[in-house]
Structure formats: structure tokens, C-alpha cells
Amino acid sequence: MMDTAPFLAATPALAVATSLVAVPLIAISGRWPNLREGWTFLAGAVKLLLVLSMAGWILAGHTHTYDLWEVLPGLMIRFKVDGFGMLFALVASPLWLITSIYSVGYMRSLDEHAQTRYFCFFAVALSATIGVAFSGNLFTLYLFYEMLSLSTYPLVTHHQDKEARGGGRKYLTYLLGTSIAFALPAMIITYMTAGSLEFSAAGVFPAGTSPAPLTTLLLLFLFGFAKAGIMPFHSWLPGAMVAPTPVSALLHAVAVVKVGVFSIVRVFTGIFGLELLADLHLNTLICSIAGCTVLVSSLMALSQDNLKRRLAFSTIGQLSYIILGVGLASKLGAQGGMLHIAMHAFGKITLFFCAGAIFVATGKKYISEMGGIGRQMPITMTAFFVGSLSVIGLPPAGGLISKLFMVQGALQAELAWVLVIYLISSLLNAAYFFPIVYQAFFGSSQEAQHQGPRQEAPFCAVLPPVLTATASVVLFFFPGIFLDFITVFLAS
Amino acid sequence: MEDLFNYIIGRYNYWAAIILLLIGLYGMIAKNNLLKKVIGMTIFQAAIILFYVSIGDKRGATIPILDHGHGTHQAIEAAAYANPLPHVLMLTAIVVGVSTLGVALAILQKIYRVHGTIEEDEILETIDQ
Amino acid sequence: MSLEQHAIIIILAPLLGALVISLIGGLHRRVAYLTLVAALAVSFSSTIATLSQVAARAAEGPLHYFLGDWQPPYGIELVIDPLNALVLTMVAGVSLLVAIYSKETVRRESPDRLHHYYTLFALLVAGLLGITATGDIFNLYVLTEIAALASYALLASGRGFAYYATFKYIIMGTIGACFYLLGVGYLYIKTGTLNMAEMQAFMTRPALLHSESIRVAFILIMVGLWIKMAFFPLHGWLPNAYTRTSTTTSCLVAPLMTKVSVYVMIRVMFGVFTLPYAYHVMGWNTAVVWLASLAIVAGSIGALAQTNLKRMLTYIIVAEVGYMVGGAWLGNAAGLTGAIYHIISDGLMTACLFMAVGAITFKTGEINLEAMRGVFRRMPVTAAIFVVGGLAMIGIPPTCGFFSKWYLLSGGLAAGHYGFVVALLFSSLVNAVLFFRLFEIGYYPLFDAQSEAGQHDKVVVAEAPLSMLVPMLITAAMILVVGLYTSRIVSGLIEYALPAGLKL
């Protein structure tokens, strides 16, 4: 059992550092775009390989811990690779590669300014994401969480116009404000009461800690990690849609928002412990808060005409789905919630890629303008259809699997009313996605007569959604790719 | 009643120091003319020097200079001599006070050149403009 | 010269430097500049040597250095313990960096009186280092006044309106110093000694523990020091004095003067008086911490209202003084650790920000928010340094500002003083608003000023000279290094600096 890991002890730290190392290289090769993107791809590939090199070991039921630095007495910057962290890293690092391809297509087609800065901060953001995935304790997680908030600011405000300024302000106010005002004191209180910030399945709080402070802490954490977009701290996400689409795609469907969810799930599973949540009936509280967000955001999505904004509200709802699943504090619910991180990531990034591709090819942002666009861009819209299937939770796309687990989890946790939320929200999901698809293929637009038969976006912008849509379908048939990691994690 | 007199008269040195201190403080805070503030500052410092010097004194004591010089083995009656240490400290404090006064006066001159007045309210008017 | 002479070299080097500069500095400006840098470098290397010495023997107690080999109580001694070894290193380090930085700024601001300026610079540093190192309570007063006199003259070097601001500071500073002196007089009457350690030995006697005179002495000294450190509501003099002055002076005075006063307060509380006296006999804790919370809130709100960059930073100093005083009075180990740690980290952060703003002003000639416009393009390195300083002020890990907040918040929570906790969080949020407003102005290049078309024009990079960039870069790096080495600093030094009975 105790044989040594088949990789370097520092591999998690290296995986985090790879894209940081790439930053100066990207910065100095700004004049040669191909070389610059070369660095991005190289770093992405190395990162993916480093993550993959640890996957087998984790699947075998091991975990791997690496202490980088003692920063406060008794408090380490600690990396710990376990099933859940691995799952997240495996979602984020390949999607970075795909998004990089897409970025090239998107940014060059639109001839965006300051592309060097864009790729630099993209790399930093990815480091922070992998850092969160591999954090061994809450302190390390907080460190990378803040790093992510700051490094994505220049990406969100990339256009540097009035709209970007407003979105950027909102973005920072919500994310930085909540993390300083709620998450930081919550972390310090936890450290003072429990004496530890290390994640452990049994939680860190000593038995017999009274429920009132625990409830307060839970709320502080829940709202403190506002990247998860729980209402009423959600409105940064639609605001951040001013960013270029690749940023929205990776950061606001995968990295940033999933980091928020990941952090909250980590707190549930590692700081409180699922048993404690269930024992104190805190799961009811979590489910009510998350449930409200699911329903309200789905309703709000219905009324959005800007495609990216509709996707943003859909994301808010899906994020709360995950929290709802894990917050049930039952085994199946947790499995479903964690799995949904992966499933939703692939589904939602497809949708964003498609939205961007439409914008690149036709310059259209609003759903009302998109009648008949499926005939113009059949590949893109087919991918869009698959992505929406996954988010709604219909076969043959991966989203169904995770939703099934969550539904069973609700029954296991004996919180049957949660089923109603799942049901209504799935219907709402269908209600805000299917019209788009229907209109795209069967609708007609006033300018249909001027349109040529085919007008797809450049290859680099079409390939990524096709890849991720395919992945969504593959995950329907082989959910074990990610599910095994969760099983390993929950078994420990 | 006698107690009260004793309280006041018996500690007249402290009372003097405190009254001077308050006069100085009043001058520094309440006066509009900057030169008067400087004068207040000087009084304030003098009060403290007075306070220190007076605490070195003892009833019936003489100046702390030994009659016999070195080499004699006669016991020295400490109570017969005033405590020299506070006085020595005040030498330093006087130097500090004079230096502060010098700097303050120099800057006051500069203020006069810049603002054309050393009345505080008039200076504030010129700054606001 | 053996190791044990380091303690005195720390102070003598700048003092002799001042002498040399005043004698031969007039020959050429480079002579004055190099002498100053050399003197401060010697001093700084000595502080490093003493710091490592103290760290090596932290458990065994402080180093004593008897001036002229006169033993106390007759002579004056320097006492170097983990607490002031840290502060000494910070003061010497920051002043060395500012000295290097000052090459161009002083040349521009005081070309005709350059060597006089540098003489005062060296005297101020000598005074500050002396305050920190001395073990004699009266000697501390004298050195305070040396530092104060030098700072008056330096502050007046801003000319124009600076004179009036300095005059206000002279009055307030003198009141503060005289209060302190009066308090020392009371203590001397009661104890008959001026040596801090001996005084403390007397303090434990029950007769003195409840003596009215001792109580008055404590109050006088504290109020005096609070005036000196610009603790709310005695802070009125600071923003004007520090804003109106020249760039170099504000870079030197802003990070050091208030911090050293805070150090003196902690020293007096636990090195002259005793822990039970300061915390239990006086019974001030709650009141002072509330005052500190008010200071934080008032300073933060004051900073929000400013459009002058330097003035904004001075209000942040007022808030930061609240951090440290509050931490010191929370009455638990975490709070005091935070206060001591914050002396170091705030010194670095303030120096970093003032130097960055100085560099921006140096290149643009502006000091208002507008000076920041497009700064990320025009002065990328300076802007990056400014960002590091700003993030440290907000308290983003792993900068040192985060860790001082960590300890201060822990202390506030442990003491159950939630007002202080809320004030700290409030000020973090306000700092976030303040600095991101500046980053935003810097980031959006020519947005309002010109038409949309001109938005992405090529901007010529006009970076500050190397003599300014290098010290700024070092300061910014130190902010991160100190942050990452928090564990070593706390468990290796600050833990031993805490008074007995307050161990972590």
C-alpha cells in the first residue's frame, strides 16, 4: 500500500507553476503572435501531462500531499491531490487547451487589442485555478482564490470601454468584497475554534461545537465565496459578460465560477464534514438558499435577450444545482453535485463557444436576431443543441447522469421537496434553451434572403465547441471517467 | 482648612509649574498669532524645566559639590545635598527647547514671507484661495 | 571591531555621516549623496548583524550595550531585544532605500541646499534608530527631539504652504514631547532611576502599582505618544504636514515616524510599565480599542474623500495607526503580535506607496488622481510596484499586509472586540475601493480625455530613473518576502518580544 508515488513529490506545485512560468515568456514574445501562442500551448500541454501523471495514483485510492512553505506558525501552503481536486484539475486543464485554440480563432478574427496582456493573465488565472484544485487547506485555497479574482480583472475589462469599466467594478466589488468581509473572518474564526484549516472528511470542528456559531460560519462561507454566484451575490456574473467570449467561456463557465463552487464544496466536505451538516440539519438551510437561487435565476434567464447574459443566468442556476446536490449531505447527492461540476463545465463551455462563434461570424449578440442562424452555421448550432441538452439534463448528454445522482441523493437525504426544485428548474432550463435552437433551425429572419447558405466561423473557433460537445456525449456513455475520482474521494 | 493651606502652600512649586504649564498650553492652542503660539510653547517648556529642577531640591540641602574632594573616606550624607540628576537632565532639555524655538522662529519667518502675515486665520484664507 | 560594537554602530554611522556631509557635502552633490548612502548602508548591515545575533539567542534575553562602559544606573545602555531588532532593521532598511531613491528627487527639489538636506536626513535616521535602540527613558526623549527637529526642517523643505503645515506640527510635536517628558519626571520621582529595566523592576511593588503619580505618568506618556503618532483624535496635524512636503521627505517620514512612535508606546507599556499594569490596573483596554476602531474608520473615510494621492495615503496612515494601537491594546498575544508585525509591514507598504506616488509625480508633475491616468502604459514597472503596495494595504495574500490583518483579526475575535474586527474589515474594503479606483484610472488609458478613435494610441513609455526604480522594486519584493517569511518572523522573533504572561 505504502509504495511511493510514481511522480515527483512537487508535481502538484509544478502543475500550478507551469502556466506562471509561461507568463514572462508570453510577455516577451508579444511581437511574434505564433511564438506567443506556442508558449501557451506548450504550457497547457505540460500542465495537462503533469495532472495526468498523478491521475493513476489517485484512482488507486491514494492521496498526495506536498508542503510548499510554512507561512504562519503551524499553517502551511500545502498542496493535496485527492479525487475531488483531481476531478477539477482534469476538467480545467484540458479545457484551457481547447479554449486557447478558441482564443486564437476569436481574438485574431476580431483583431482585438492587447492580446499579449490577455494571454498573460489567462495563464495566471489558470495557475490560480489549478492551485485551488490542489489546495491542501483552506488557507492555500483562499490564497489562490484571491489570486484568481485579481488576475481575471484585466480579462473581464479587456475592452477598456465604459461598459467594461462598469462590469469590472461590479466584478471586483462582489468578489473581493465578499471574500474580505465574509470568507476571511470565517476562515480566521474557524482557525481559532478548530485550530486547523486542513481538509479532512470528518471536518475540523471538535465534537460538541455548538450549532449557532457553526450556522453563522456556514453562511459566511456560503456567501463569502461569491464566485459561486449564490443570490444575492450573483449579479457580478452577468456583469462580467462584457469580457471577450473565450474569457466568458473558460472563466465564467468553468474556472472562476467552478472555483467558487469548488471552494464551497471543499468547505462542506473538508471543514464541516457531510455528517455534521446532516446531523445539524444544516443541509435544509443550504438547500433552501441554493434552491431559491436555482429557481429565481432560471426565471431571470427566460427574460434575457442577450445570449451571453442568458447563459450567465443559466450558469448561476447550475452552480446552485451543484451546491444543492452536495448540500444534501447524502452520499449520492454529493456524488451527483461533484459530477455536475464536470458535466456542466463541458456543456456550458460549448454553449459559450457557440455564442462567441456566432458573434465572430455574424456579429450577432441577441437571441431575437438569431432566427434561421442554424441553417447558416449548422455545425455550431448542432454543438449548441448538444450543449443545451447536457445543461437541461437530457440524453444523450452527460448532464443527465449527474442530475440522476442528485435526484437520488435528495431521496437519500429525505428532503423530497428538493425534487420539486429539480423538476421545475429542468423544465425552465428547457424553456429557455429550446426556443433558441428551434428558432435557429426552423425560424426565419427578416434578412434570411440575403444570407448565403453557409457562414461558419473560422476553423479555430468552430473546432473547440465540436470537441466539447463530443466530450459531453462521451461523458454520457462513460461517466466513469470522472465518477471514479469522486468514488475514490468519498470512500476515503 | 489648615489641610487645604498645607495642600496648596506646601506644594507651591508644583502649583507654579502647573499654572505655567496651563498658560503655555493655552497660548499654544488658543492664540491666533503664531508668534504667541511660539511664546506659549516656550512657557510650556519652561514650566516643565521648573518642575524638574524643583524635584531635585531637598529641605535644608546644599548644592551637590563635595567639600573634601577625592581621596577622603568620610561618609557622604546624601540628604545634605540636592539631587543633581534632574538639573543635569534639564540642561539637555533647555538645549532641546532652544533648538525647537530656533526652528520654530525660522519657519515663522518663512511663513511670513510666503503668506505675508502670521495671523492664523489670515493664513488659512490665503491657503483656501 | 568585534560583534558587540554593532549596536552602537547602528546609531553612530548616520550620526557621523551627518557630520561628514555637513562638512564636505558642499563640495559636490555626489559626495553628499554617496556619504549618506554609505553611512546608512553601514548602519543597515549592523542592524542585520544584530538581528541575526538576537535571533540566534532569542530565548536568552536581550543584548546590552553600555555606552562608554558605564553600567546602569549611572550610564546609558542600549538594549537590543527581538522587538527592537526588528524595528531597527526596518527603519535602517527603509531609510537606506529612500536614501538611494532620493538621488533625483532631492536634486530637483532642493538643489541649492542639497547637503543641508542630506545632513538632516542622516540626523533624522540617527534619531529614529536611537529611539528604537535605547534602554534609557530620558535618552529616548532627547533622541525623539533630535528626530523631531530634523523632521521639522525636512518637512519645511516642501516650501510654500509646507511652512505653515510644519509649524502646526512643531506645536503639536512639542506638546507631545513635553507631555512625555513630564510623565518621565513623575516616574523619576517615584522610582529614582531612568533606566527602563530598573524602572520596571520597581513597578511590580504594590505601593507603586496603585500609586496616583504612576497613573498620571502613564496617562501623560501615552497621550504624548499618541500625539506624536497621530492617533485619532489627535491626528489633525499629520495629513497637512505630510502632504505639503517634498517627495523625499514624505517617503522618509511617512513610513518611519509614526511607526517608531508606536514602537515606543509598546516599549513603554511592557518595558517600563508592566503587562498587568497596562492591561489590568489602568483598565483602559476597551476604551482605547474603541478609539482605535474609530481611528480606522475615520482614517478610511478621510482617505475616500481625497483627490490628492499623497493626502489620501496620509489618511491611510491615520487608519493604520489605529490598527497598531488597537492591536497593542487588545490584551492578547495575537493582537500584540499583529501590532508588532504591522509596524514592520506597514513601514514597508507605506514606503512602497509613497515612493511609487513620488515617482509618478516626478514624471508627470501632477499629484492628483489624474496623475494616474494611463500609468500602466507609461510607467509599467512603477505601476506594478504601486499595485503590490496597494494589494498589501488591502490585505491580499501573500503580501505582508494580509498577515498583519490575520493576526489583528484573530486578536480582535479572541478578545471579543467585534467593533475592532468590523473596523478592520471596513478599512480593508475601503482600501480596496481606494486602490482599485486608482488602478482603474491607470488602466483605462485615454478614455475620457479623447475620442474613441484615440483610445488605443501608442503611448510612449517614460519610466522613472533607475535610481528610483531599484529601491522601489526592492521594497515591493520585501513586502512579499516578509509576507512569506511571516512564520519565521513570528515564531523566531515576535514570540520572544511578547511580554511574559502573554505567550502564544
Side-chain angles (χ1 to χ4, degrees):
Chain A
M1 179 73 193
M2 283 313 291
D3 45 357
T4 48
F7 48 82
L8 279 175
T11 309
L14 291 178
V16 173
T18 328
S19 41
L20 277 184
V21 173
V23 171
L25 296 173
I26 295 172
I28 56 168
S29 41
R31 281 194 209 144
W32 307 279
N34 287 331
L35 178 63
R36 181 185 65 198
E37 267 76 290
W39 291 121
T40 302
F41 288 120
L42 183 66
V46 172
K47 190 186 277 282
L48 183 59
L49 284 178
L50 285 171
V51 171
L52 283 175
S53 74
M54 293 184 285
W57 176 256
I58 302 302
L59 270 184
H62 303 273
T63 58
H64 176 67
T65 310
Y66 176 69
D67 288 339
L68 185 66
W69 188 254
E70 184 180 22
V71 72
L72 282 170
L75 201 55
M76 296 282 184
I77 293 184
R78 169 171 291 169
F79 295 109
K80 184 180 177 190
V81 187
D82 57 13
F84 186 39
M86 199 65 211
L87 163 88
F88 189 42
L90 275 181
V91 172
S93 44
L95 286 180
W96 183 35
L97 268 178
I98 297 176
T99 313
S100 299
I101 301 174
Y102 185 75
S103 293
V104 175
Y106 183 90
M107 300 299 272
R108 290 195 186 172
S109 307
L110 293 180
D111 196 20
E112 288 277 355
H113 74 289
Q115 292 192 21
T116 307
R117 182 184 73 205
Y118 170 87
F119 282 105
C120 281
F121 281 103
F122 220 112
V124 178
L126 244 293
S127 275
T129 310
I130 300 295
V132 169
F134 289 157
S135 290
N137 56 29
L138 194 57
F139 178 82
T140 316
L141 192 146
Y142 184 80
L143 184 99
F144 285 110
Y145 182 93
E146 291 289 42
M147 182 171 153
L148 185 61
S149 306
L150 297 173
S151 60
T152 44
Y153 175 75
L155 296 175
V156 171
T157 56
H158 184 83
H159 293 307
Q160 287 176 287
D161 52 14
K162 213 165 225 162
E163 205 188 344
R165 178 190 296 209
R169 270 188 198 165
K170 208 177 219 178
Y171 185 75
L172 273 184
T173 315
Y174 277 80
L175 295 189
L176 214 55
T178 49
S179 72
I180 290 174
F182 302 141
L184 176 62
M187 181 165 72
I188 293 178
I189 296 171
T190 307
Y191 189 57
M192 286 170 62
T193 15
S196 161
L197 291 175
E198 308 300 321
F199 298 129
S200 73
V204 294
F205 293 105
T209 315
S210 61
L214 285 182
T215 313
T216 321
L217 277 179
L218 184 78
L219 289 175
L220 284 176
F221 277 123
L222 205 56
F223 293 120
F225 291 118
K227 286 198 176 95
I230 291 193
M231 287 183 179
F233 296 105
H234 67 282
S235 67
W236 61 271
L237 185 56
M241 288 302 142
V242 297
T245 307
V247 176
S248 311
L250 183 63
L251 300 183
H252 299 126
V254 187
V256 172
V257 292
K258 291 291 155 58
V259 159
V261 172
F262 182 86
S263 307
I264 290 178
V265 172
R266 267 288 192 224
V267 168
F268 287 171
T269 56
I271 297 292
F272 284 88
L274 290 177
E275 280 178 32
L276 183 70
L277 291 181
D279 289 346
L280 295 177
H281 296 292
L282 288 173
N283 49 0
T284 318
L285 178 72
I286 299 167
C287 290
S288 334
I289 296 171
C292 282
T293 309
V294 169
L295 293 180
V296 175
S297 67
S298 302
L299 285 171
M300 286 168 92
L302 277 176
S303 64
Q304 304 298 324
D305 190 33
N306 183 323
L307 180 57
K308 274 172 79 182
R309 279 181 73 87
R310 183 175 289 194
L311 293 179
F313 276 102
S314 160
T315 303
I316 296 171
Q318 298 295 319
L319 295 174
S320 284
Y321 246 89
I322 298 169
I323 294 169
L324 192 61
V326 182
L328 289 168
S330 64
K331 190 159 180 281
L332 286 169
Q335 259 177 324
M338 291 174 182
L339 190 60
H340 202 57
I341 291 183
M343 298 305 185
H344 173 247
F346 282 94
K348 191 49 74 61
I349 204 169
T350 310
L351 296 175
F352 272 109
F353 281 156
C354 294
I358 295 171
F359 182 66
V360 169
T362 66
K364 287 175 180 170
K365 281 184 181 176
Y366 295 97
I367 295 162
S368 49
E369 303 168 341
M370 288 179 190
I373 208 158
R375 295 193 291 276
Q376 249 176 294
M377 308 174 68
I379 305 177
T380 309
M381 285 320 287
T382 311
F384 188 93
F385 179 60
V386 175
S388 59
L389 285 185
S390 184
V391 173
I392 300 164
L394 290 174
L400 174 69
I401 312 284
S402 48
K403 285 203 179 180
L404 274 180
F405 271 106
M406 285 194 270
V407 167
Q408 291 173 25
L411 294 173
Q412 198 178 39
E414 292 166 359
L415 291 170
W417 54 273
V418 175
L419 289 178
V420 181
I421 296 177
Y422 280 129
L423 182 68
I424 297 176
S425 83
S426 289
L427 289 174
L428 286 171
N429 290 347
Y432 61 68
F433 275 133
F434 280 147
I436 306 175
V437 180
Y438 179 82
Q439 282 292 320
F441 283 107
F442 306 110
S444 60
S445 73
Q446 53 273 59
E447 44 189 310
Q449 57 272 31
H450 308 301
Q451 287 162 356
R454 279 293 187 90
Q455 197 189 348
E456 286 285 359
F459 176 73
C460 279
V462 176
L463 177 67
V466 172
L467 284 178
T468 50
T470 317
S472 278
V473 176
V474 170
L475 284 173
F476 172 73
F477 294 105
F478 304 101
I481 299 172
F482 289 118
L483 196 58
D484 291 349
F485 287 104
I486 299 168
T487 319
V488 167
F489 174 69
L490 290 174
S492 64
Chain B
M1 199 52 140
E2 205 184 318
D3 288 351
L4 183 67
F5 286 142
N6 277 340
Y7 189 68
I8 296 173
I9 305 297
R11 293 174 173 81
Y12 70 92
N13 53 332
Y14 297 123
W15 287 110
I18 285 170
I19 290 166
L20 283 176
L21 202 74
L22 292 177
I23 292 174
L25 204 56
Y26 167 77
M28 272 195 276
I29 291 167
K31 285 294 170 190
N32 188 38
N33 187 305
L34 297 187
L35 191 59
K36 288 182 181 166
K37 278 182 191 275
V38 175
I39 295 171
M41 187 175 86
T42 319
I43 298 174
F44 191 67
Q45 287 171 328
I48 292 171
I49 293 168
L50 200 64
F51 169 77
Y52 262 86
V53 169
S54 71
I55 62 175
D57 189 36
K58 295 169 192 166
R59 201 159 304 236
T62 178
I63 49 169
I65 297 175
L66 295 182
D67 274 344
H68 318 290
H70 296 288
T72 55
H73 296 285
Q74 221 172 334
I76 297 163
E77 193 73 37
Y81 299 100
N83 183 357
L85 189 71
H87 301 182
V88 175
L89 296 181
M90 282 312 104
L91 279 180
T92 319
I94 290 167
V95 173
V96 168
V98 170
S99 321
T100 318
L101 181 64
V103 174
L105 288 176
I107 287 177
L108 204 51
Q109 263 193 334
K110 289 288 190 183
I111 291 176
Y112 186 71
R113 278 187 210 154
V114 172
H115 302 278
T117 174
I118 54 169
E119 297 293 327
E120 193 164 20
D121 49 357
E122 290 170 21
I123 292 171
L124 290 174
E125 270 172 35
T126 55
I127 289 179
D128 287 338
Q129 277 162 14
Chain C
M1 288 286 244
S2 63
L3 259 178
E4 56 259 31
Q5 298 294 328
H6 278 305
I8 191 68
I9 294 174
I10 294 174
I11 305 162
L12 274 189
L15 202 59
L16 288 177
L19 186 67
V20 172
I21 296 167
S22 71
L23 287 177
I24 62 166
L27 295 177
H28 192 274
R29 57 177 168 74
R30 197 162 289 162
V31 175
Y33 174 71
L34 289 177
T35 316
L36 178 74
V37 171
L40 293 180
V42 169
S43 177
F44 179 61
S45 53
S46 294
T47 57
I48 293 286
T50 36
L51 182 71
S52 55
Q53 231 176 320
V54 166
R57 42 167 292 170
E60 298 160 41
L63 291 172
H64 294 272
Y65 180 88
F66 306 118
L67 285 179
D69 209 17
W70 288 93
Q71 307 282 328
Y74 307 111
I76 293 168
E77 65 165 345
L78 303 182
V79 182
I80 317 274
D81 62 5
L83 170 60
N84 60 4
L86 264 178
V87 180
L88 281 173
T89 313
M90 191 276 283
V91 171
V94 168
S95 50
L96 175 62
L97 291 170
V98 175
I100 298 170
Y101 172 92
S102 73
K103 187 180 176 194
E104 302 292 328
T105 51
V106 175
R107 207 169 129 198
R108 184 186 284 187
E109 287 164 343
S110 313
D112 47 336
R113 292 174 283 187
L114 192 124
H115 68 289
H116 293 150
Y117 187 90
Y118 277 144
T119 309
L120 292 166
F121 192 125
L123 272 178
L124 173 62
V125 177
L128 292 175
L129 291 169
I131 295 170
T132 316
T134 188
D136 184 285
I137 196 164
F138 186 77
N139 192 231
L140 198 152
Y141 163 75
V142 177
L143 288 160
T144 310
E145 285 295 41
I146 291 177
L149 283 168
S151 73
Y152 300 149
L154 286 174
L155 287 170
S157 71
R159 305 182 191 180
F161 292 160
Y163 294 127
Y164 175 65
T166 310
F167 186 84
K168 298 286 279 185
Y169 176 39
I170 295 181
I171 298 291
M172 287 310 281
T174 308
I175 295 178
C178 285
F179 271 31
Y180 175 84
L181 182 60
L182 203 56
V184 170
Y186 274 80
L187 285 180
Y188 176 69
I189 295 174
K190 279 293 178 187
T191 61
T193 179
L194 290 169
N195 183 283
M196 291 184 187
E198 286 201 2
M199 234 175 218
Q200 190 174 33
F202 283 114
M203 280 307 164
T204 47
R205 296 186 183 175
L208 287 191
L209 208 54
H210 298 286
S211 152
E212 236 6 80
S213 311
I214 296 291
R215 178 179 281 267
V216 171
F218 187 82
I219 296 171
L220 283 172
I221 291 179
M222 279 302 142
V223 173
L225 290 173
W226 287 344
I227 295 177
K228 280 264 172 195
M229 72 177 76
F231 181 51
F232 181 86
L234 307 169
H235 67 284
W237 58 270
L238 185 138
N240 269 324
Y242 284 12
T243 311
R244 304 276 193 203
T245 188
S246 63
T247 301
T248 328
T249 311
S250 48
C251 288
L252 180 66
V253 168
L256 300 181
M257 292 289 276
T258 51
K259 261 45 93 184
V260 168
S261 302
V262 172
Y263 156 77
V264 173
M265 182 190 75
I266 292 174
R267 186 56 148 200
V268 168
M269 281 166 73
F270 307 113
V272 176
F273 294 87
T274 54
L275 174 105
Y277 194 88
Y279 285 161
H280 307 309
V281 179
M282 288 307 294
W284 274 8
N285 293 28
T286 318
V288 177
V289 177
W290 272 115
L291 212 54
S293 314
L294 279 178
I296 296 171
V297 173
S300 301
I301 292 176
L304 267 181
Q306 305 308 321
T307 53
N308 178 317
L309 288 176
K310 235 157 109 183
R311 188 177 287 269
M312 183 195 100
L313 293 180
T314 60
Y315 276 98
I316 293 181
I317 295 180
V318 173
E320 303 284 319
V321 169
Y323 281 34
M324 291 178 274
V325 176
W329 281 90
L330 279 172
N332 56 36
L336 189 56
T337 306
I340 295 171
Y341 183 84
H342 200 62
I343 294 179
I344 311 301
S345 69
D346 193 39
L348 288 171
M349 299 186 299
T350 318
C352 180
L353 288 170
F354 268 92
M355 286 202 269
V357 167
I360 292 166
T361 312
F362 184 80
K363 291 308 281 187
T364 60
E366 277 192 78
I367 189 69
N368 287 330
L369 298 179
E370 285 308 299
M372 291 297 292
R373 192 160 295 286
V375 79
F376 281 85
R377 290 211 146 193
R378 281 187 287 109
M379 307 171 71
V381 182
T382 310
I385 291 163
F386 187 78
V387 168
V388 172
L391 294 185
M393 276 288 177
I394 300 168
I396 303 291
T399 58
C400 54
F402 173 79
F403 296 100
S404 35
K405 243 159 231 172
W406 173 279
Y407 276 109
L408 290 170
L409 284 172
S410 311
L413 288 167
H417 212 297
Y418 302 112
F420 186 62
V421 173
V422 170
L424 280 176
L425 294 174
F426 174 76
S427 123
S428 300
L429 293 176
V430 169
N431 284 351
V433 172
L434 284 173
F435 284 104
F436 276 100
R437 182 174 63 176
L438 294 180
F439 298 163
E440 206 184 80
I441 296 174
Y443 180 70
Y444 294 92
L446 302 159
F447 172 61
D448 292 321
Q450 281 167 28
S451 63
E452 288 286 316
Q455 210 183 105
H456 306 307
D457 274 350
K458 278 261 181 245
V459 182
V460 183
V461 174
E463 199 44 270
L466 211 58
S467 66
M468 298 171 94
L469 278 185
V470 171
M472 288 197 291
L473 275 174
I474 295 175
T475 318
M478 283 310 291
I479 287 177
L480 294 171
V481 170
V482 167
L484 288 173
Y485 276 87
T486 307
S487 169
R488 305 270 181 86
I489 294 173
V490 169
S491 57
L493 290 163
I494 296 182
E495 204 170 304
Y496 297 100
L498 299 180
L502 205 66
K503 291 293 174 217
L504 278 171

